[in-house]
Amino acid sequence: MECKSKKFHFQEKDWLISFPNTGNEGRKYLYYCVEFTNPKKKQAKAQIQLMEIVDSPDFECFPHTVGYFKGAIEEKKNDSEFAYLEIRIIRSLEDFWKFLNDLNL
């Protein structure tokens, strides 16, 4: 069975944060290397630290509706919907950390 990367879709901003399956062992969340994608702006940054995203003014505008799924961006049900495994409302950075923790990232 293929192990797919874990992805978080910030619905209001249409951001995707992808956590690779390996490479972050022993790191704290802030220092995780992730891939950040902004499909609306056709912008992707590979291997940035999560700190760069959560420290941005755009991230600090809460709340965020965040959908969690595994797989590729192409695995949408349609043009605007992913096959989410879970959706949460994130009202603070602590809520985001809890979401990551609950999913054993």
Side-chain angles (χ1 to χ4, degrees), residues 4-50:
K4 298 178 179 180
S5 63
K6 296 177 180 179
K7 299 183 186 298
F8 294 83
H9 180 225
F10 287 70
Q11 294 178 358
E12 292 85 2
K13 302 216 177 283
D14 201 24
W15 289 354
L16 288 171
I17 299 176
S18 303
F19 289 79
N21 297 320
T22 61
N24 284 317
E25 296 84 2
R27 295 183 188 193
K28 303 263 186 207
Y29 290 139
L30 276 178
Y31 302 104
Y32 270 30
C33 289
V34 298
E35 181 178 291
F36 172 75
T37 306
N38 187 342
K40 284 183 179 177
K41 294 184 179 179
K42 300 197 186 316
Q43 172 187 12
K45 294 182 184 178
Q47 297 300 309
I48 66 170
Q49 287 188 338
L50 187 56

Side-chain angles (χ1 to χ4, degrees), residues 2-104:
E2 178 186 338
C3 188
K4 298 178 179 180
S5 63
K6 296 177 180 179
K7 299 183 186 298
F8 294 83
H9 180 225
F10 287 70
Q11 294 178 358
E12 292 85 2
K13 302 216 177 283
D14 201 24
W15 289 354
L16 288 171
I17 299 176
S18 303
F19 289 79
N21 297 320
T22 61
N24 284 317
E25 296 84 2
R27 295 183 188 193
K28 303 263 186 207
Y29 290 139
L30 276 178
Y31 302 104
Y32 270 30
C33 289
V34 298
E35 181 178 291
F36 172 75
T37 306
N38 187 342
K40 284 183 179 177
K41 294 184 179 179
K42 300 197 186 316
Q43 172 187 12
K45 294 182 184 178
Q47 297 300 309
I48 66 170
Q49 287 188 338
L50 187 56
M51 172 186 340
E52 294 177 54
I53 299 168
V54 300
D55 281 347
S56 74
D58 283 338
F59 185 87
E60 294 173 357
C61 294
F62 293 102
H64 301 295
T65 306
V66 181
Y68 163 72
F69 66 103
K70 293 182 180 181
I73 294 172
E74 295 78 26
E75 294 180 12
K76 287 184 176 185
K77 288 183 179 177
N78 60 45
D79 286 342
S80 63
E81 190 175 330
F82 292 95
Y84 299 121
L85 298 173
E86 185 171 345
I87 297 174
R88 290 194 190 180
I89 303 296
I90 304 298
R91 291 184 169 81
S92 68
L93 184 55
E94 290 76 19
D95 284 350
F96 186 51
W97 297 150
K98 181 171 178 1
F99 196 7
L100 298 180
N101 233 6
D102 289 348
L103 296 169
N104 293 319

